[in-house]
Amino acid sequence: MLQQQIADTAGAVAVIAEEAMRPEAVSTVTELSVWDLTMRGGLIMIPLAILSIISIYIFVERYIVIFKAGREDTSFMKRIKEYIHDGEVESARNLCARTDTPYARLISKGISRIGRPMQDVLVTIENTGNMEIARLEKGLPWLATTAAGGPMIGFLGTVIGMVNAFYNLASAGTSANIAVLADGIYAALVTTVAGLIVGIIALFAYNFLVARINKVMNSLEAKTMEFMDLLNEPA
């Protein structure tokens, strides 16, 4: 009898498989566009969209500013050295004004303190450098906040979506089916994905800009030491 049951089960499985392979039995899968998925996310997608737009703007704007700040004139310090040795302090200041870069403003501030104790000159340059770095870092806290807050907003949308799904399920009573849960599950999954995407992009953008700023900072330190060595050279 056991063998007969196994044979009957195998036959039933074969029949089901044959029916499923028929063209008329294959269900048509509707492709879902990115826009449709976004609309499924509900109101939570609005703050995520705002965060993403602002983050992209900050990244592009800061990248341009930092890129300009990182450009170096290889002959700048050589010309400054020549002007200082020749006593042409005003020409050195004019060169700094024309160059208009963070390191040029540092050197210009140092030139304005020539004749004072070396420690005073160094402190003045360091303070100017700190202000230049702070100017370059403008907007970066927003990227850091988006990197941390984007996924949290997405998780909030997940919770809201699941609450709606179970509320609809409870309201449907005995007529509940998978379609009742669909909208809530869509919102839950879509907002999670969107929040993670926004957070990940903001995190990579933040770390990229920080690395570029650190490179500029190292350049400013090198220019500072070169200028201080210039002042310490014997006349």
Side-chain angles (χ1 to χ4, degrees), residues 85-97:
H85 283 171
D86 294 341
E88 300 179 8
V89 177
E90 193 62 31
S91 298
R93 288 181 177 176
N94 292 334
L95 175 60
C96 293

Side-chain angles (χ1 to χ4, degrees), residues 6-203:
I6 294 175
D8 293 341
T9 302
V13 172
V15 172
I16 294 173
E18 183 179 355
E19 292 291 335
M21 292 300 294
R22 291 180 180 178
E24 60 271 15
V26 178
S27 60
T28 303
V29 179
T30 303
E31 294 185 359
L32 197 61
S33 66
V34 175
W35 176 255
D36 292 333
L37 283 174
T38 303
M39 291 297 99
R40 294 280 189 174
L43 295 178
I44 291 296
M45 299 298 290
I46 296 177
L48 289 176
I50 294 174
L51 285 176
S52 62
I53 292 173
I54 296 177
S55 297
I56 292 173
Y57 169 79
I58 291 176
F59 173 76
V60 173
E61 189 268 340
R62 285 293 92 191
Y63 177 79
I64 294 174
V65 172
I66 295 171
F67 176 78
K68 291 180 179 179
R71 290 186 302 183
E72 294 190 19
D73 183 358
T74 55
S75 64
F76 176 78
M77 289 305 300
K78 180 180 179 181
R79 296 170 66 185
I80 290 293
K81 183 177 181 179
E82 293 174 352
Y83 285 140
I84 297 299
H85 283 171
D86 294 341
E88 300 179 8
V89 177
E90 193 62 31
S91 298
R93 288 181 177 176
N94 292 334
L95 175 60
C96 293
R98 291 195 304 271
T99 305
D100 191 26
T101 57
Y103 63 82
R105 287 188 283 272
L106 257 68
I107 301 303
S108 177
K109 184 64 67 173
I111 292 174
S112 67
R113 297 295 189 272
I114 290 179
R116 296 187 180 184
M118 297 299 295
Q119 185 62 30
D120 292 347
V121 177
L122 181 59
V123 169
T124 300
I125 293 178
E126 288 178 348
N127 291 337
T128 304
N130 292 334
M131 289 187 292
E132 291 293 335
I133 296 300
R135 186 179 293 112
L136 294 178
E137 291 177 343
K138 181 182 178 181
L140 263 63
W142 180 268
L143 284 179
T145 302
T146 302
M152 298 302 295
I153 295 177
F155 292 149
L156 175 61
T158 300
V159 175
I160 294 175
M162 296 307 296
V163 168
N164 288 333
F166 283 106
Y167 175 78
N168 294 335
L169 181 63
S171 300
T174 57
S175 62
N177 53 47
I178 190 62
V180 176
L181 296 172
D183 288 338
I185 294 175
Y186 266 128
L189 297 180
V190 169
T191 55
T192 300
V193 173
L196 289 174
I197 290 175
V198 172
I200 290 172
I201 292 176
L203 178 62

